[in-house]
Amino acid sequence: MNRISMKIKKLLMISLALFCMIPAVAEDYIRYHHDLPVALPPVTQPVIPLRKVSITDYGGKGDGITLNTGAFEQAIRALEKEGGGRLIVPEGIFLTGPIVLKGGIDLHLERNAVIVFSPDKALAVKDGAKKASALITANKQHHISITGEGTLDGNGEWWRPVKRSKVSDVEWKQYLSMGGTVTDQGSLWYPFQLKHYGNIASTPEAQEKYRNHLIRFTDCDRVLVQGVTIMNSPKFHLTTQRCTNVTIDGTTIRCPWNAQNGDGIDIGNSRNVLIVGNTIDCGDDGICMKGGAGKTGQEYGPCENILIEDNTVYHAHGGFVIGSEFSGGMKKIVVRNNTFMGTDTGLRFKSATGKGGKTEGIYISHIQMIDIKDAAIVFETTYQDRPAGAKAKAVQAAQNEFVPEFQDIHISDIICRGTKTGIEAHGEKGMVHHISIQHSTFFYTDKPMDIGKDCEISLQDVQFKTFHQ
């Protein structure tokens, strides 16, 4: 074979290899980047090889009884060895322990496929580990995705503590029927000393510290989560930490309204993120931006270049949230064309001294809200994270380091029908300033505004209405 023929053959092989690699989705996500108030780079999508295997090819059984941890591990290892591909989970209920995703792999759940994570907590705790593994993890991987029409069930009721004040008598009896431990004079139930599953710590409080997330991606690039239902997590449902080029599209995220720390989507110190078309009904913050606390958060850098559009949030502590920790900062975030219905607050900016940072270039517009429990827009600068059953600590005087600075935030075209307070803001001088709210309407039931004297918020064409006006 002459040199020219060898070159042609090599080019054909390269072309064939490229043909066998396709983006994980066909949708043109560029359309979301039109008419932005600030320039954001398009999010680069993962590329997954066309190769396909089924979990059943590796002994997986969707009978709801067989533990499939080994089958997932073998299938992912085999795909990784071949350079990646699509791991198909067909119709059925696939019980498993934690799943570790690798680069170039799409975990694809077909319609009526359910991956349910075992209530045996020991499966998520490696020998000597101080924390349980998330139920699906990927660390320092590239080109990964979770897609399809199936469901990921975190079995969170076997992990989460429950406050007596947040459940009915019927629900409380259901928890007691599982066994468990009741503390604090009957006000708190822990899934500790259960009838059918062992403990992974010596006390309820110690075991609580092991509670894990459902999906956690760390230091990954080109990540897609599309179409699936993500439900009933032990803690946060979907969280990214220090990731780039993340797309979360068309998922349904749900758990009981009273699920402790049941956040929907949490984005931590990540860049180039697109969150579109999701439906969220959860027990804590709906779509939340986090930036780490103190020097560690500062080293990790900001949440930057984020676009959040066309999402619906039902129950949540906040529809869109920044904080509480954001020492790494928040830069160039656009939130538009979203609907919040029945959330505790609509737009929630929360932090405290020691874990605060600076916001820059935050643009929020065209948000529809209805039946907001507390405040439609709130800025709070003395927020405390408290585990279930913990008492509030005395508020510390502001220090000079890592003080929250909510500024350069532009809010417009908000329609809120039903909220206790329209706009609420509190903080010392310099913590809440250069905030603009324009062309908005709030129908309130208690007071239009509760804004501290040191908070600088400018209002233009903003209407407050209530009954009998």
Side-chain angles (χ1 to χ4, degrees), residues 55 62 68-69 72 87-99 101 107-110 112-118 135-136 146-147 150-155 214 228-231:
I55 188 65
N68 290 280
T69 312
F72 278 108
L87 173 53
I88 296 173
V89 182
E91 177 180 334
I93 298 177
F94 293 83
L95 180 71
T96 185
I99 296 171
L101 277 182
L107 178 62
H108 183 79
L109 285 73
E110 294 186 337
N112 297 321
V114 180
I115 296 177
V116 60
F117 291 91
S118 172
L135 302 179
I136 296 181
I146 302 173
T147 65
T151 299
L152 297 159
D153 184 347
N155 237 336
L214 207 167
V228 292
T229 294
I230 306 166
M231 61 176 286

Side-chain angles (χ1 to χ4, degrees), residues 369-372 374 376 414-422 440-448 463-469:
M369 305 186 198
I370 190 168
D371 296 333
I372 305 302
D374 297 319
I414 309 297
I415 299 176
C416 179
R417 170 71 190 184
T419 183
K420 183 178 179 181
T421 305
S440 298
T441 303
F442 301 88
F443 188 96
Y444 65 92
T445 59
D446 185 27
K447 62 181 77 171
Q463 297 184 67
F464 297 95
K465 301 289 184 180
T466 190
F467 298 103
H468 309 302
Q469 279 194 346

